[in-house]
Amino acid sequence: MNALAPFPTTRAPNGMVCSVDHLASSAGVAMLRVGGSAADAAIAASAVLAVTTQHSCGMGGDLFALVHDGSGVQCLNSSGRAGSGADPDKMRAAGHRVMPLRDHIQSVPVPGCVDGWVALHERFGVLPLAEVLAPAAAYANDGFPASPTLVGAIPVVAHLAGAADYAGVTRPGDLVRRPGVARTLDAIGNEGRDAFYRGEFGRGLIDIGAGEYAEDDLARVQAGWVTPISLDAFGHRLWTVPPNSQGYLTLASAWIADGLPLPDDPDDALWAHLLIEAARQAGFDRIDVLHEGANGIALISADRLAPRRAAISPAAAATLGRSERYAAGGTIYLCAVDSDRMGVSLIQSNASGWGAGIVEPATRIFLQDRGIGFSLEPGHPAEYGPGRRPPHTLSPALVTNAETGDFDAVIGTMGGDSQPQILLQLLARLYVNGESPGPAMAAGRWGLGLGFTTWDERGEVEVQIEGHSPEAWDTGLVERGHRVRRHEEFSGAFGHAHLIVNHGDHLAGASDPRPRNGAAVAY
């Protein structure tokens, strides 16, 4: 089904950057044009997004990245840890059964984003870091036009003193200046990570924490290079980041779906049903098994997944449990590929929109609420505690040739719990149904959850269907026992995905039309 109008695939011979903001994508390509690597481009784009899309991401959040450097896949986990003052007993004594979504510093792990930039630059950067961060600093200092999504999000935080940068911004195009952010970016570019973690922002975070954080917490580098996890599905090798990320669900659901009779036509309700069931079987026990110490390889083993594939019926939905709570997420994904065909798949996030609704006052950087992934159940492997990393929804992906290991694609999305579900649909469209990036990106989607609580009741959730999805999906899914709700067309609730495919002599990519402000910029 064509979505409103044909959505094109962007093609170019040299390099490409895709992101939710055309200013960020353009900044990334500017790095490529002066000889920078895909890592330089990704950091430049990420930094611009930290300025222009604070309602989804920023220096107060976390970051993950996958890099194909020509020799293999490297994986960066730059998710932050709870402060040394984290006390689960105190939270339970205060009446909390789950980690609070807003207004509580306990839900704010030490931000990992800046450490992620520095680590990525140290290993793969070519240009000086100050040069890479310069476009973002310029937008923060000189101003940038507010996007429609930013304008729509400002009322949520307009009452906060720390949101003064957005005072008077009521229409798309209104100029926004963020001098504290500009000052911080300049300091990082010139002095490195300590200018952030042990400088103005770090001192402010310790003050806000009132015992939640110690200086040693901020001195500890949050970023680390870890071993990615991978498996073969859809004729390719799929890669993602290991736990504490939920990325294993992308691989598990793709492996399960690869053994099912997917129709040639994605408009067929059976196509949607089988992918939905693959996602549900992969993830129904996520709340029990996902934590920073989980064995990602074991979670995607054939012995574990084969019985789940066998439990799927083409005729009926499985009964697994129920949850009906949904909440909006706040994340951005971007990808970059250079002329040497280094590919970077990067995701950064506040977790939920503006994050915890807490702002470091000197820099006016908003703080994430990624600590909502922690459990307050005593003894749970993901229990909130000092120095621990929470379970993460962030799950970028990368694809290689299954036989040669050559780089094939970078792909990812925002979307909370539904990130692996969105990626499953895009991967199936690309590698099973043969669609090009543009049509695959624009096609209607389904989702099992539009926030962070999909798996609380083991996944028997109402299936959310995007408004321009085939009408046959509704009828066919209901007949198979699914509960269905249809949403508006091109809803941001169904992710902001981006992807770039390597065809050797050229790149083919697409930036999601749902945010209305994104772009695939190439040369």
Side-chain angles (χ1 to χ4, degrees):
M1 150 178 253
N2 289 329
L4 299 186
F7 186 67
T9 296
T10 298
R11 300 181 187 274
N14 297 309
M16 185 180 298
V17 179
C18 299
S19 82
V20 73
D21 187 341
H22 65 96
L23 297 177
S25 299
S26 296
V29 168
M31 299 300 114
L32 298 180
R33 286 184 177 276
V34 296
S37 67
D40 292 321
I43 297 165
S46 175
V48 170
L49 291 169
V51 174
T52 64
T53 61
Q54 179 69 85
H55 56 292
S56 292
C57 70
M59 288 183 279
D62 282 348
L63 180 152
F64 290 85
L66 294 163
V67 181
H68 194 291
D69 64 351
S71 62
V73 180
Q74 310 292 318
C75 180
L76 179 65
N77 181 339
S78 197
S79 60
R81 299 171 175 87
S84 55
D87 186 342
D89 290 331
K90 183 182 293 186
M91 294 295 287
R92 289 187 283 263
H96 295 285
R97 296 177 58 250
V98 297
M99 293 296 288
L101 188 67
R102 298 274 191 275
D103 305 324
H104 286 72
I105 198 67
Q106 292 83 1
S107 292
V108 183
V110 175
C113 178
V114 171
D115 267 339
W117 290 345
V118 172
L120 188 59
H121 183 263
E122 286 178 346
R123 181 167 291 197
F124 295 112
V126 174
L127 304 174
L129 184 59
E131 183 177 349
V132 172
L133 298 181
Y139 283 127
N141 186 65
D142 302 334
F144 62 91
S147 70
T149 53
L150 172 59
V151 171
I154 287 173
V156 177
V157 296
H159 64 288
L160 299 175
D165 290 350
Y166 303 101
V169 177
T170 60
R171 295 177 303 178
D174 285 349
L175 206 64
V176 181
R177 291 186 174 88
R178 307 189 65 197
V181 172
R183 189 169 63 246
T184 304
L185 288 164
D186 284 337
I188 296 167
N190 293 320
E191 304 169 39
R193 62 94 57 194
D194 282 354
F196 180 75
Y197 290 99
R198 310 184 88 169
E200 192 175 25
F201 174 86
R203 292 191 297 270
L205 182 62
I206 289 176
D207 289 344
I208 295 170
E212 183 74 7
Y213 316 101
E215 289 187 7
D216 286 349
D217 297 331
L218 277 72
R220 180 181 186 180
V221 174
Q222 304 300 314
W225 293 97
V226 299
T227 303
I229 57 174
S230 65
L231 52 62
D232 289 344
F234 301 149
H236 292 73
R237 190 77 177 175
L238 309 183
W239 300 78
T240 192
V241 295
N244 55 321
S245 163
Q246 69 165 348
Y248 78 93
L249 293 180
T250 303
L251 307 190
S253 59
W255 188 91
I256 291 171
D258 195 28
L260 300 175
L262 289 176
D264 293 334
D265 183 5
D267 285 4
D268 189 326
L270 179 60
W271 186 90
H273 166 72
L274 291 176
L275 293 182
I276 289 168
E277 290 300 284
R280 294 176 69 228
Q281 289 290 346
F284 70 84
D285 58 352
R286 194 199 79 172
I287 195 170
D288 300 317
V289 302
L290 179 59
H291 53 90
E292 63 177 327
N295 184 331
I297 295 175
L299 289 174
I300 59 171
S301 69
D303 287 346
R304 182 173 186 270
L305 299 181
R308 300 179 182 223
R309 177 193 283 169
I312 293 175
S313 165
T319 300
L320 298 173
R322 174 166 295 188
S323 173
E324 296 181 349
R325 296 184 293 122
Y326 298 94
T331 299
I332 67 88
Y333 170 80
L334 65 90
C335 47
V337 179
D338 61 27
S339 58
D340 293 328
R341 297 306 186 250
M342 173 187 285
V344 178
S345 182
L346 185 151
I347 194 164
Q348 67 188 87
S349 175
N350 294 332
S352 177
W354 295 91
I358 303 172
V359 190
E360 194 288 305
T363 60
R364 294 177 182 170
I365 293 172
F366 282 70
L367 304 178
Q368 65 176 340
D369 57 348
R370 185 55 64 178
I372 59 175
F374 282 123
S375 172
L376 286 178
E377 178 185 336
H380 191 285
E383 185 180 9
Y384 171 62
R388 306 195 70 179
R389 281 174 161 158
H392 245 281
T393 57
L394 302 187
S395 46
L398 189 148
V399 184
T400 60
N401 184 291
E403 296 181 358
T404 67
D406 292 342
F407 166 62
D408 192 83
V410 278
I411 184 171
T413 185
M414 62 84 88
D417 288 348
S418 64
Q419 287 180 34
Q421 301 156 31
I422 294 165
L423 296 184
L424 174 63
Q425 294 168 75
L426 289 171
L427 290 167
R429 288 183 180 276
L430 289 172
Y431 296 120
V432 177
N433 303 111
E435 296 183 6
S436 63
M441 188 66 68
R445 299 169 183 163
W446 54 263
L448 297 181
L450 307 181
F452 299 99
T453 60
T454 302
W455 308 113
D456 283 6
E457 302 292 341
R458 306 302 188 264
E460 189 169 316
V461 299
E462 188 175 63
V463 177
Q464 315 295 309
I465 297 180
E466 199 171 14
H468 62 286
S469 300
E471 293 183 3
W473 282 11
D474 301 65
T475 303
L477 292 175
V478 169
E479 288 176 348
R480 290 172 170 86
H482 297 280
R483 294 178 296 119
V484 171
R485 179 185 301 175
R486 184 166 282 262
H487 291 247
E488 65 181 359
E489 297 176 337
F490 291 96
S491 170
F494 291 84
H496 298 161
H498 313 283
L499 68 92
I500 302 172
V501 177
N502 175 25
H503 290 291
D505 61 351
H506 77 281
L507 303 170
S511 174
D512 204 315
R514 289 161 183 83
R516 274 69 169 177
N517 200 52
V521 178
Y523 77 111

